Amino acid sequence: LYAEGILNEERYAELQNERMKTRICSLTQNGDNLLMWSHYADGGRGVLLGLDIPSEPVEDVIYRDKFPVFFRDCRTGRELFKYKISAWSYEEEARVFTESSYVKIKLREIVLGPKMGRSERSLYTKLIARLRPDFEKSEGEIACMNEKCTKFSV
């Protein structure tokens, strides 16, 4: 990230300022990935949200073996924030950058993980039925786990 003589105090302060005001919404493009369910959904006990983001551009993360050098390879912090080390490429991550507090989304699907406990599944099912009566319940499968899951979608 740093290179001799390229990132002085002024440029470092500029990067920190940009980092502080930039909000990043991180998403995956693949909801059927065992590592994603394991790392981010409590081993399959969590919830996956299928979203549409109508108001902001969604940008694919760029994976590289080494980070680019700020102010040599990337001119802005926002450009730098698009990169991740190649080891994380299985995430198939996309990001939305904004300076507002929230990213406007349209919820199109809720998937309850196949390892979710019975009481949690019952609670989520009741909440979804009450808060999103337009969502239909169906049974699905998380292929990477070879297990059934509960899906709610419009």
Side-chain angles (χ1 to χ4, degrees):
L1 207 56
Y2 308 108
E4 188 68 34
I6 292 178
L7 190 62
N8 60 29
E9 283 187 40
E10 182 181 329
R11 289 185 177 147
Y12 180 76
E14 183 181 322
L15 177 62
Q16 288 295 88
N17 183 49
E18 195 167 356
R19 185 182 67 82
M20 294 303 291
K21 67 181 183 180
T22 302
R23 304 291 181 254
I24 302 172
C25 177
S26 295
L27 310 158
T28 184
Q29 300 177 51
N30 182 359
D32 193 10
N33 180 310
L34 181 60
L35 287 174
M36 295 299 285
W37 277 98
S38 298
H39 293 165
Y40 299 107
D42 196 17
R45 291 183 288 277
V47 176
L48 175 142
L49 302 176
L51 309 173
D52 289 325
I53 303 177
S55 62
E56 302 284 342
V58 179
E59 301 180 45
D60 290 340
V61 165
I62 301 165
Y63 297 98
R64 291 178 45 170
D65 290 334
K66 294 182 180 180
F67 268 112
V69 176
F70 182 61
F71 239 79
R72 184 186 73 200
D73 303 326
C74 298
R75 302 306 287 174
T76 66
R78 189 171 181 147
E79 187 180 344
L80 184 67
F81 302 152
K82 294 179 188 179
Y83 289 89
K84 242 178 152 173
I85 295 297
S86 297
W88 295 100
S89 64
Y90 71 86
E91 293 183 336
E92 297 179 52
E93 186 176 346
R95 292 178 175 173
V96 177
F97 298 95
T98 182
E99 289 186 12
S100 24
S101 296
Y102 299 99
V103 173
K104 292 181 181 169
I105 62 164
K106 180 179 178 188
L107 182 62
R108 70 176 149 71
E109 179 181 51
I110 302 170
V111 179
L112 305 183
K115 307 255 187 220
M116 183 178 282
R118 188 175 297 148
S119 61
E120 290 88 358
R121 183 176 307 281
S122 175
L123 174 64
Y124 279 113
T125 299
K126 289 174 187 173
L127 281 171
I128 294 165
R130 183 172 178 112
L131 298 173
R132 291 301 304 258
D134 57 323
F135 274 29
E136 292 183 24
K137 180 180 174 184
S138 64
E139 294 303 313
E141 183 179 36
I142 305 296
C144 65
M145 296 178 151
N146 197 27
E147 294 200 41
K148 301 288 183 207
C149 65
T150 306
K151 293 186 176 188
F152 298 86
S153 56
V154 177

